[in-house]
Amino acid sequence: MKRTIKKIIFISLLSSIIFCESKIDKKINTLLKQMTVEEKIGQMTQIDRRFLRSDEDLIKFGIGSILSGGGSVPEDNTVEGWADMYNHFQKTALKSRLKIPIIYGVDAVHGHNNVPNATIFPHNIGLGCTFDEKIVYKVSEATAKEVVATGIDWNFAPCLAIPQDPRWGRYYEGFSEDTELVSKLGIAAIKGYQNKIGGKKSVAACAKHFLGDGATIWGTGDNNYKIDRGNAIISDEDLRNKYLIPYQDAVDNGVLTIMASFNSYNGLKCHASGYLFNDLLKEELAFEGFVISDWRGIDEIPGDYKSDIVTSINSGIDMIMVPGDTIWGGEPYHKFLKLFKESVKEGLIKEERLDDAVYRILKVKHQMGLFDKPFASKKYVKDFGSKKHRKIAREAVRKSMVLLKNDNNILPLSKNLDKIHVAGIGANDIGMQCGGWTIEWQGKMGDITSGTTILDGIKSTVSKNTEVTFSETGTNASNADIGIVVIGEKPYAEGMGDDGELKLSKEDTAVLNNMKSANIPLVVIMLSGRPLMITEELKDWDAFISAWLPGTEGAGVSDVIFGDYSPTGKLSFSWPRDISQIPANYKDKNYDPLFEFSYGLKY
Ligand code: GLC
């Protein structure tokens, strides 16, 4: 009896899904038939809010999407300010002839990082070192709620790069150099972001950047960068057994959008590769969502702008991120729309291609519920930057930290020491512990948003009899029982972070020397987006912890240092002994790193 009831339920569920699908398909096909070529082109166009010249343009051209690139924020950069901005654009878009809602994208790559007082979580390199899909799901779910609180419905995340070279400025956007770990955590992130697709705490995810962004060769960088956006020479075997797998898993787990990558694949710009998007992604992987280009990504295809448009659209890219800016170069969207329309008129782009792209875009908009509920919901405003989310972030910080040296088990420290001297600018700088993609595209040093610094955490953890002193330069440490030194990298993003040496900064070397001259035990904490070359310096450190880019909840660092949490983090990237080893394959038996992939000490 039970089995038959289960069968009936399954069949009725299945038929309702099929019915619902065909109902949406019917709606999309009806709308598609009414659309002019201009309106189809409009749907395939995404503009940065800063460069939209007028509301009328949104209506006249039926623009399909707006984005906030890194640091592109409304005048009133608060939750309410964002929701008002979103609702204004949506109300305007619904004045277009066919009343098609926009979909609005942001890079909430480690929390809703454009917005002050949002919870900022560890960047992916830190989440990778947790090896824990549960915490990645929780972080992504919390991020989705904070994004939804501001009205936004699309997140350009997760990055599924498998970075091979730590000299790359985007190394920290990857979870790991290991394909399996990237897949596992990428799926968790997509599920956390998309949740029940179209539900109240759901944003469309965007697996990026397709394909091979982390495999580029030093010296081949584009856009005046050294390695970022360079050429990735990938064998067919590596393509299928290494770089494609996280995307197959992302597609199989329902990711709604995928972003094309700036780099070249075997000498051809990804944005120009019909093999990648038409053959591999849409045909072989059966991807049914839509592909978005990267920021002015088509402009970097060799040749004139009109041929860039024709090539990228015919390669299977469905929506073009036409930032429309002239500040950093790039073609304004009026020119894009004009040339796109010319290309269709001249038969260089077939209308069937437009129909395929617009169908995919409208399908995602329907799945996200944008036709039924196009406006911002206030449901999660109370969760924005909440204690509950910061607790999740602090848990993620604890789990992301990797203990790499602990001579004489100096850690965990007692909470009742007489005196602790803390040193290094990073010990008391929220901006440095957050890293790039925070408030501004490149991130910024200083008190840029609310949270707790590592120093705050230390002070609030030790007993009231313990004196905690601090100096950025490491002076005045002599009569302390222990020195805690925070070193690392100042914020950067993308190719601006390409670095051929990965050495400690002069300031950090000076701080370490000052602290060494105090002849006290040293606990060194590193804030960085990648392994730095510290083989020589490590000898003088009694303990060493990598905290990566932990985000706003720096207090999570003290949880580990003082033993409230025993470190569980493991390296999701091997740590080179010397720059001459890079790039290295962590599976290569002859590769002898300073610390191996998955290395991590416990108490
Ligand atoms: C950037 C990045 C991409 C981001 C996009 C929008 O250049 O490459 O990761 O999603 O532009 O900000």
PDB file of all heavy atoms in Angstrom, residues 67-70 107 156 170 173 208-209 229 259 262 294-295 321 437 441 494, ligand 1:
ATOM      1  N   LEU A  67      24.261  45.791 -13.765  1.00  0.00           N
ATOM      2  CA  LEU A  67      25.195  45.260 -12.760  1.00  0.00           C
ATOM      3  C   LEU A  67      25.790  46.393 -11.953  1.00  0.00           C
ATOM      4  O   LEU A  67      25.805  47.546 -12.398  1.00  0.00           O
ATOM      5  CB  LEU A  67      26.313  44.450 -13.405  1.00  0.00           C
ATOM      6  CG  LEU A  67      27.563  45.216 -13.891  1.00  0.00           C
ATOM      7  CD1 LEU A  67      28.814  44.403 -13.588  1.00  0.00           C
ATOM      8  CD2 LEU A  67      27.468  45.547 -15.344  1.00  0.00           C
ATOM      9  N   SER A  68      26.272  46.014 -10.777  1.00  0.00           N
ATOM     10  CA  SER A  68      27.159  46.881 -10.010  1.00  0.00           C
ATOM     11  C   SER A  68      28.519  46.211 -10.036  1.00  0.00           C
ATOM     12  O   SER A  68      28.707  45.182  -9.379  1.00  0.00           O
ATOM     13  CB  SER A  68      26.674  47.018  -8.565  1.00  0.00           C
ATOM     14  OG  SER A  68      25.679  47.998  -8.462  1.00  0.00           O
ATOM     15  N   GLY A  69      29.439  46.754 -10.834  1.00  0.00           N
ATOM     16  CA  GLY A  69      30.799  46.225 -10.790  1.00  0.00           C
ATOM     17  C   GLY A  69      31.394  46.534  -9.417  1.00  0.00           C
ATOM     18  O   GLY A  69      30.770  47.227  -8.607  1.00  0.00           O
ATOM     19  N   GLY A  70      32.582  46.048  -9.136  1.00  0.00           N
ATOM     20  CA  GLY A  70      33.202  46.263  -7.826  1.00  0.00           C
ATOM     21  C   GLY A  70      33.215  47.741  -7.470  1.00  0.00           C
ATOM     22  O   GLY A  70      33.760  48.549  -8.201  1.00  0.00           O
ATOM     23  N   ASP A 107      28.978  41.311  -7.518  1.00  0.00           N
ATOM     24  CA  ASP A 107      29.999  40.363  -7.073  1.00  0.00           C
ATOM     25  C   ASP A 107      29.954  40.286  -5.556  1.00  0.00           C
ATOM     26  O   ASP A 107      30.625  41.053  -4.883  1.00  0.00           O
ATOM     27  CB  ASP A 107      31.393  40.836  -7.488  1.00  0.00           C
ATOM     28  CG  ASP A 107      31.542  40.885  -8.988  1.00  0.00           C
ATOM     29  OD1 ASP A 107      31.872  39.829  -9.573  1.00  0.00           O
ATOM     30  OD2 ASP A 107      31.303  41.961  -9.570  1.00  0.00           O
ATOM     31  N   PHE A 156      27.560  37.065  -9.013  1.00  0.00           N
ATOM     32  CA  PHE A 156      28.621  36.537  -9.881  1.00  0.00           C
ATOM     33  C   PHE A 156      29.599  35.705  -9.041  1.00  0.00           C
ATOM     34  O   PHE A 156      30.733  36.079  -8.822  1.00  0.00           O
ATOM     35  CB  PHE A 156      29.375  37.684 -10.564  1.00  0.00           C
ATOM     36  CG  PHE A 156      28.515  38.611 -11.382  1.00  0.00           C
ATOM     37  CD1 PHE A 156      28.618  39.992 -11.225  1.00  0.00           C
ATOM     38  CD2 PHE A 156      27.596  38.120 -12.306  1.00  0.00           C
ATOM     39  CE1 PHE A 156      27.847  40.864 -11.982  1.00  0.00           C
ATOM     40  CE2 PHE A 156      26.812  38.981 -13.056  1.00  0.00           C
ATOM     41  CZ  PHE A 156      26.938  40.354 -12.900  1.00  0.00           C
ATOM     42  N   ARG A 170      44.421  36.692  -8.651  1.00  0.00           N
ATOM     43  CA  ARG A 170      43.090  36.164  -8.298  1.00  0.00           C
ATOM     44  C   ARG A 170      43.195  34.812  -7.600  1.00  0.00           C
ATOM     45  O   ARG A 170      42.191  34.120  -7.452  1.00  0.00           O
ATOM     46  CB  ARG A 170      42.227  36.057  -9.560  1.00  0.00           C
ATOM     47  CG  ARG A 170      42.120  37.357 -10.336  1.00  0.00           C
ATOM     48  CD  ARG A 170      40.997  37.391 -11.347  1.00  0.00           C
ATOM     49  NE  ARG A 170      39.684  37.535 -10.689  1.00  0.00           N
ATOM     50  CZ  ARG A 170      38.584  37.900 -11.362  1.00  0.00           C
ATOM     51  NH1 ARG A 170      38.632  38.112 -12.678  1.00  0.00           N
ATOM     52  NH2 ARG A 170      37.436  38.032 -10.720  1.00  0.00           N
ATOM     53  N   GLU A 173      40.704  33.906  -5.024  1.00  0.00           N
ATOM     54  CA  GLU A 173      39.293  33.690  -5.412  1.00  0.00           C
ATOM     55  C   GLU A 173      39.019  32.222  -5.675  1.00  0.00           C
ATOM     56  O   GLU A 173      37.862  31.830  -5.815  1.00  0.00           O
ATOM     57  CB  GLU A 173      38.951  34.531  -6.648  1.00  0.00           C
ATOM     58  CG  GLU A 173      38.991  36.036  -6.392  1.00  0.00           C
ATOM     59  CD  GLU A 173      38.479  36.841  -7.589  1.00  0.00           C
ATOM     60  OE1 GLU A 173      37.337  36.622  -8.021  1.00  0.00           O
ATOM     61  OE2 GLU A 173      39.244  37.693  -8.082  1.00  0.00           O
ATOM     62  N   LYS A 208      32.135  30.844 -12.442  1.00  0.00           N
ATOM     63  CA  LYS A 208      33.061  31.632 -13.273  1.00  0.00           C
ATOM     64  C   LYS A 208      34.495  31.219 -12.986  1.00  0.00           C
ATOM     65  O   LYS A 208      34.770  30.600 -11.937  1.00  0.00           O
ATOM     66  CB  LYS A 208      32.837  33.120 -13.007  1.00  0.00           C
ATOM     67  CG  LYS A 208      33.278  33.611 -11.634  1.00  0.00           C
ATOM     68  CD  LYS A 208      32.912  35.078 -11.427  1.00  0.00           C
ATOM     69  CE  LYS A 208      33.514  35.621 -10.151  1.00  0.00           C
ATOM     70  NZ  LYS A 208      33.174  37.038  -9.919  1.00  0.00           N
ATOM     71  N   HIS A 209      35.439  31.494 -13.921  1.00  0.00           N
ATOM     72  CA  HIS A 209      35.248  32.049 -15.265  1.00  0.00           C
ATOM     73  C   HIS A 209      35.586  30.935 -16.243  1.00  0.00           C
ATOM     74  O   HIS A 209      36.652  30.302 -16.114  1.00  0.00           O
ATOM     75  CB  HIS A 209      36.182  33.226 -15.485  1.00  0.00           C
ATOM     76  CG  HIS A 209      36.147  34.235 -14.374  1.00  0.00           C
ATOM     77  ND1 HIS A 209      36.803  34.053 -13.170  1.00  0.00           N
ATOM     78  CD2 HIS A 209      35.537  35.433 -14.263  1.00  0.00           C
ATOM     79  CE1 HIS A 209      36.607  35.115 -12.399  1.00  0.00           C
ATOM     80  NE2 HIS A 209      35.841  35.972 -13.025  1.00  0.00           N
ATOM     81  N   ARG A 229      44.402  37.081 -17.150  1.00  0.00           N
ATOM     82  CA  ARG A 229      43.830  37.167 -18.485  1.00  0.00           C
ATOM     83  C   ARG A 229      44.815  36.682 -19.555  1.00  0.00           C
ATOM     84  O   ARG A 229      44.666  36.969 -20.733  1.00  0.00           O
ATOM     85  CB  ARG A 229      43.404  38.606 -18.819  1.00  0.00           C
ATOM     86  CG  ARG A 229      42.583  39.272 -17.730  1.00  0.00           C
ATOM     87  CD  ARG A 229      42.035  40.614 -18.131  1.00  0.00           C
ATOM     88  NE  ARG A 229      41.393  41.257 -16.964  1.00  0.00           N
ATOM     89  CZ  ARG A 229      40.569  42.296 -17.065  1.00  0.00           C
ATOM     90  NH1 ARG A 229      40.280  42.812 -18.256  1.00  0.00           N
ATOM     91  NH2 ARG A 229      40.026  42.843 -15.990  1.00  0.00           N
ATOM     92  N   MET A 259      29.871  32.523 -16.339  1.00  0.00           N
ATOM     93  CA  MET A 259      30.548  33.699 -16.900  1.00  0.00           C
ATOM     94  C   MET A 259      31.756  33.280 -17.721  1.00  0.00           C
ATOM     95  O   MET A 259      32.555  32.439 -17.281  1.00  0.00           O
ATOM     96  CB  MET A 259      31.002  34.657 -15.781  1.00  0.00           C
ATOM     97  CG  MET A 259      31.603  35.952 -16.303  1.00  0.00           C
ATOM     98  SD  MET A 259      32.122  37.096 -15.010  1.00  0.00           S
ATOM     99  CE  MET A 259      30.575  37.595 -14.314  1.00  0.00           C
ATOM    100  N   PHE A 262      38.200  35.876 -19.208  1.00  0.00           N
ATOM    101  CA  PHE A 262      39.050  36.805 -19.962  1.00  0.00           C
ATOM    102  C   PHE A 262      40.202  36.080 -20.652  1.00  0.00           C
ATOM    103  O   PHE A 262      40.726  36.554 -21.656  1.00  0.00           O
ATOM    104  CB  PHE A 262      39.694  37.820 -19.006  1.00  0.00           C
ATOM    105  CG  PHE A 262      38.824  38.948 -18.566  1.00  0.00           C
ATOM    106  CD1 PHE A 262      38.619  39.179 -17.218  1.00  0.00           C
ATOM    107  CD2 PHE A 262      38.232  39.803 -19.480  1.00  0.00           C
ATOM    108  CE1 PHE A 262      37.849  40.252 -16.783  1.00  0.00           C
ATOM    109  CE2 PHE A 262      37.456  40.877 -19.059  1.00  0.00           C
ATOM    110  CZ  PHE A 262      37.258  41.095 -17.703  1.00  0.00           C
ATOM    111  N   ASP A 294      32.385  38.594 -19.518  1.00  0.00           N
ATOM    112  CA  ASP A 294      32.974  39.341 -18.402  1.00  0.00           C
ATOM    113  C   ASP A 294      33.005  40.828 -18.799  1.00  0.00           C
ATOM    114  O   ASP A 294      32.641  41.206 -19.911  1.00  0.00           O
ATOM    115  CB  ASP A 294      34.386  38.801 -18.072  1.00  0.00           C
ATOM    116  CG  ASP A 294      34.784  39.117 -16.632  1.00  0.00           C
ATOM    117  OD1 ASP A 294      34.274  40.127 -16.091  1.00  0.00           O
ATOM    118  OD2 ASP A 294      35.577  38.371 -16.052  1.00  0.00           O
ATOM    119  N   TRP A 295      33.480  41.652 -17.860  1.00  0.00           N
ATOM    120  CA  TRP A 295      33.473  43.120 -17.971  1.00  0.00           C
ATOM    121  C   TRP A 295      34.271  43.573 -19.194  1.00  0.00           C
ATOM    122  O   TRP A 295      35.489  43.461 -19.216  1.00  0.00           O
ATOM    123  CB  TRP A 295      34.086  43.705 -16.703  1.00  0.00           C
ATOM    124  CG  TRP A 295      34.166  45.193 -16.633  1.00  0.00           C
ATOM    125  CD1 TRP A 295      35.120  45.998 -17.186  1.00  0.00           C
ATOM    126  CD2 TRP A 295      33.282  46.066 -15.929  1.00  0.00           C
ATOM    127  NE1 TRP A 295      34.882  47.312 -16.876  1.00  0.00           N
ATOM    128  CE2 TRP A 295      33.762  47.382 -16.105  1.00  0.00           C
ATOM    129  CE3 TRP A 295      32.126  45.892 -15.169  1.00  0.00           C
ATOM    130  CZ2 TRP A 295      33.117  48.494 -15.570  1.00  0.00           C
ATOM    131  CZ3 TRP A 295      31.496  46.995 -14.620  1.00  0.00           C
ATOM    132  CH2 TRP A 295      31.989  48.275 -14.820  1.00  0.00           C
ATOM    133  N   MET A 321      28.217  41.875 -21.018  1.00  0.00           N
ATOM    134  CA  MET A 321      28.441  42.889 -19.983  1.00  0.00           C
ATOM    135  C   MET A 321      29.105  44.074 -20.678  1.00  0.00           C
ATOM    136  O   MET A 321      30.298  44.087 -20.930  1.00  0.00           O
ATOM    137  CB  MET A 321      29.355  42.304 -18.900  1.00  0.00           C
ATOM    138  CG  MET A 321      29.386  43.083 -17.620  1.00  0.00           C
ATOM    139  SD  MET A 321      30.558  42.385 -16.422  1.00  0.00           S
ATOM    140  CE  MET A 321      29.756  40.885 -15.910  1.00  0.00           C
ATOM    141  N   TRP A 437      38.026  43.206  -3.315  1.00  0.00           N
ATOM    142  CA  TRP A 437      36.572  43.024  -3.455  1.00  0.00           C
ATOM    143  C   TRP A 437      35.865  43.346  -2.134  1.00  0.00           C
ATOM    144  O   TRP A 437      34.979  42.598  -1.705  1.00  0.00           O
ATOM    145  CB  TRP A 437      36.241  41.588  -3.877  1.00  0.00           C
ATOM    146  CG  TRP A 437      36.643  41.230  -5.281  1.00  0.00           C
ATOM    147  CD1 TRP A 437      37.718  40.470  -5.638  1.00  0.00           C
ATOM    148  CD2 TRP A 437      36.018  41.638  -6.504  1.00  0.00           C
ATOM    149  NE1 TRP A 437      37.797  40.380  -7.003  1.00  0.00           N
ATOM    150  CE2 TRP A 437      36.775  41.087  -7.562  1.00  0.00           C
ATOM    151  CE3 TRP A 437      34.905  42.421  -6.817  1.00  0.00           C
ATOM    152  CZ2 TRP A 437      36.439  41.285  -8.911  1.00  0.00           C
ATOM    153  CZ3 TRP A 437      34.563  42.609  -8.162  1.00  0.00           C
ATOM    154  CH2 TRP A 437      35.327  42.050  -9.188  1.00  0.00           C
ATOM    155  N   TRP A 441      36.480  47.877  -5.419  1.00  0.00           N
ATOM    156  CA  TRP A 441      36.959  46.747  -6.253  1.00  0.00           C
ATOM    157  C   TRP A 441      38.286  46.218  -5.748  1.00  0.00           C
ATOM    158  O   TRP A 441      38.450  45.018  -5.503  1.00  0.00           O
ATOM    159  CB  TRP A 441      37.065  47.233  -7.694  1.00  0.00           C
ATOM    160  CG  TRP A 441      37.667  46.240  -8.638  1.00  0.00           C
ATOM    161  CD1 TRP A 441      37.375  44.917  -8.741  1.00  0.00           C
ATOM    162  CD2 TRP A 441      38.660  46.517  -9.637  1.00  0.00           C
ATOM    163  NE1 TRP A 441      38.122  44.335  -9.744  1.00  0.00           N
ATOM    164  CE2 TRP A 441      38.923  45.302 -10.321  1.00  0.00           C
ATOM    165  CE3 TRP A 441      39.354  47.666 -10.051  1.00  0.00           C
ATOM    166  CZ2 TRP A 441      39.841  45.209 -11.360  1.00  0.00           C
ATOM    167  CZ3 TRP A 441      40.270  47.572 -11.093  1.00  0.00           C
ATOM    168  CH2 TRP A 441      40.505  46.353 -11.729  1.00  0.00           C
ATOM    169  N   GLU A 494      42.235  41.059  -8.885  1.00  0.00           N
ATOM    170  CA  GLU A 494      42.535  40.735 -10.282  1.00  0.00           C
ATOM    171  C   GLU A 494      44.002  40.965 -10.627  1.00  0.00           C
ATOM    172  O   GLU A 494      44.886  40.792  -9.774  1.00  0.00           O
ATOM    173  CB  GLU A 494      41.588  41.518 -11.203  1.00  0.00           C
ATOM    174  CG  GLU A 494      40.108  41.206 -10.917  1.00  0.00           C
ATOM    175  CD  GLU A 494      39.171  41.662 -12.010  1.00  0.00           C
ATOM    176  OE1 GLU A 494      39.531  41.579 -13.194  1.00  0.00           O
ATOM    177  OE2 GLU A 494      38.063  42.083 -11.690  1.00  0.00           O
TER     178      GLU A 494
HETATM  179  C1  GLC B   1      35.434  41.574 -13.252  1.00  0.00           C
HETATM  180  C2  GLC B   1      35.733  40.121 -12.980  1.00  0.00           C
HETATM  181  C3  GLC B   1      34.505  39.264 -12.770  1.00  0.00           C
HETATM  182  C4  GLC B   1      33.378  40.109 -12.214  1.00  0.00           C
HETATM  183  C5  GLC B   1      33.017  41.148 -13.262  1.00  0.00           C
HETATM  184  C6  GLC B   1      31.908  42.090 -12.780  1.00  0.00           C
HETATM  185  O1  GLC B   1      36.392  42.123 -14.124  1.00  0.00           O
HETATM  186  O2  GLC B   1      36.577  39.442 -13.891  1.00  0.00           O
HETATM  187  O3  GLC B   1      34.884  38.206 -11.894  1.00  0.00           O
HETATM  188  O4  GLC B   1      32.253  39.281 -11.937  1.00  0.00           O
HETATM  189  O5  GLC B   1      34.127  41.924 -13.672  1.00  0.00           O
HETATM  190  O6  GLC B   1      32.369  42.878 -11.725  1.00  0.00           O
END
